[in-house]
Amino acid sequence: MLVRNWMSRNVVTVEEDTSMQDATKLLKQHGIRMLPVVREGRLVGVVTDRDLKRASPSDATTLDVHELNYLISKIKVKSIMTKTPVSVPPDLTVEETAEVLLKHKISGVPVVDNGRVVGTITQTDIFRVLIALTGVGKRGIQIAVQIEDRPGSIKELADPIRRHGGRMVSILTSYDNVPEGERKVYIRM
């Protein structure tokens, strides 16, 4: 499962000289939390809703609204963006991308091919993958069984279900929190 098949392709980007005010409007208008920053179509940074909030004045300021809006309109994205953003290529797997997001404690990344932004992938996209993989959208029930980790053990578990007309939507396995030589098998029917 490659990023290219699950990423959002309609990417909203900004240039370095975009005002903080315009970037904030774009995030709200498109319901997104991250804007890749480009120069001549090439990724040079990322600005997030968190960056914009951090750069915004506090409520404790003595400036009036018009003064604040004027000052915010003068702040450019290049002064608050992350200049060395994490990105992923379109041929990376979704699972590897999830590891990247977790490792860097971020909620999304630009997808870059030859320096050009071709998409974004976020936690929401990864949740869509998880829902598709597990078959949870098809409802039914899920059973979890701890079995010996050896060739044929999953087939032995699945054969009686098939013989009795059971329809399996997904079979997932995990080695987490089980003794050595065993695995957990999750079957959604």
Side-chain angles (χ1 to χ4, degrees):
M1 294 193 323
L2 300 179
V3 165
R4 77 174 73 252
N5 300 322
W6 293 93
M7 68 184 186
S8 299
R9 294 176 188 278
N10 298 329
V11 185
V12 179
T13 63
V14 293
E15 299 282 332
E16 295 171 291
D17 289 328
T18 301
S19 73
M20 188 174 123
Q21 190 174 35
D22 288 344
T24 301
K25 284 180 191 173
L26 283 171
L27 288 177
K28 287 179 183 173
Q29 179 183 348
H30 294 280
I32 55 178
R33 297 183 289 179
M34 170 188 63
L35 289 167
V37 182
V38 296
R39 181 187 312 129
E40 297 176 10
R42 296 197 167 288
L43 182 68
V44 293
V46 167
V47 67
T48 65
D49 57 347
R50 183 179 290 171
D51 297 328
L52 293 165
K53 286 174 188 165
R54 197 176 314 123
S56 295
S58 80
D59 292 337
T61 184
T62 58
L63 298 175
D64 74 13
V65 171
H66 299 293
E67 292 170 315
L68 281 174
N69 286 339
Y70 173 77
L71 290 173
I72 289 171
S73 72
K74 296 298 177 195
I75 299 171
K76 302 300 180 196
V77 165
K78 66 181 164 193
S79 65
I80 61 171
M81 71 181 186
T82 301
K83 291 175 177 54
T84 54
V86 176
S87 64
V88 297
D91 58 350
L92 196 66
T93 67
V94 172
E95 306 90 80
E96 291 167 320
T97 301
E99 282 185 319
V100 168
L101 297 181
L102 196 57
K103 176 184 173 192
H104 293 280
K105 297 180 180 167
I106 54 179
S107 62
V109 290
V111 181
V112 178
D113 193 13
N114 294 319
R116 301 216 176 267
V117 179
V118 296
T120 59
I121 189 157
T122 65
Q123 289 173 335
T124 301
D125 298 315
I126 292 172
F127 291 154
R128 286 188 308 118
V129 172
L130 181 62
I131 289 167
L133 267 180
T134 61
V136 74
K138 302 284 186 197
R139 299 294 171 232
I141 62 167
Q142 182 184 67
I143 60 169
V145 181
Q146 188 169 307
I147 63 172
E148 186 181 353
D149 182 27
R150 61 176 170 70
S153 60
I154 294 176
K155 182 180 181 322
E156 290 170 9
L157 183 62
D159 281 348
I161 295 169
R162 278 193 214 97
R163 271 196 310 275
H164 288 90
R167 181 171 173 259
M168 290 174 278
V169 177
S170 67
I171 300 175
L172 302 171
T173 71
S174 172
Y175 292 98
D176 290 347
N177 302 316
V178 294
E180 181 74 26
E182 297 196 1
R183 72 161 100 178
K184 279 251 173 95
V185 178
Y186 301 89
I187 299 177
R188 180 165 296 277
M189 298 182 287

